[in-house]
Amino acid sequence: MHFEDGGEAGLRAESYKLISVFSGEDMYYQYPHGDEVYNVMAVYEASGIKGSPTIMDDEGLELRYFDLDQPIPEINPFTEYVLKKAGYIRTN
């Protein structure tokens, strides 16, 4: 299995494990300009990470690791939803 995980983050993983796939009503988003999407997101747990987090495109401002036992400031709502559903962070 091959993933393009290093192109935008400067990281590579030795292996991946499929955790879950999310779709449907909970993944709906309406952009400020009015476009609407129903996202489909596959979540993989990566092991054997090599490299340093580095922004490699013009879309990111910051890239870093977070302690999942602590609140993550300014987390994207979809990312928070997925991390909770996948069991990586606790619901309050």
Side-chain angles (χ1 to χ4, degrees):
M1 183 180 301
H2 173 73
F3 290 89
E4 293 187 24
D5 59 346
E8 296 177 2
L11 302 170
R12 291 277 179 221
E14 291 179 2
S15 65
Y16 299 90
K17 174 183 172 188
L18 178 63
I19 300 301
S20 191
V21 176
F22 299 94
S23 65
E25 188 175 305
D26 289 335
M27 298 301 288
Y28 170 82
Y29 181 76
Q30 183 174 21
Y31 288 92
H33 58 51
D35 284 358
E36 299 175 282
V37 295
Y38 283 90
N39 293 289
V40 177
M41 186 181 299
V43 177
Y44 292 84
E45 186 173 300
S47 300
I49 305 297
K50 294 187 181 340
S52 298
T54 305
I55 296 173
M56 310 282 284
D57 62 18
D58 62 351
E59 294 183 12
L61 300 175
E62 182 180 14
L63 183 61
R64 62 188 168 117
Y65 290 102
F66 290 94
D67 181 345
L68 295 177
D69 291 328
Q70 301 295 320
I72 301 171
E74 301 178 33
I75 190 170
N76 173 293
F78 285 117
T79 302
E80 182 176 31
Y81 169 80
V82 167
L83 289 174
K84 284 180 179 178
K85 286 290 202 178
Y88 288 104
I89 59 176
R90 291 183 223 135
T91 56
N92 296 332

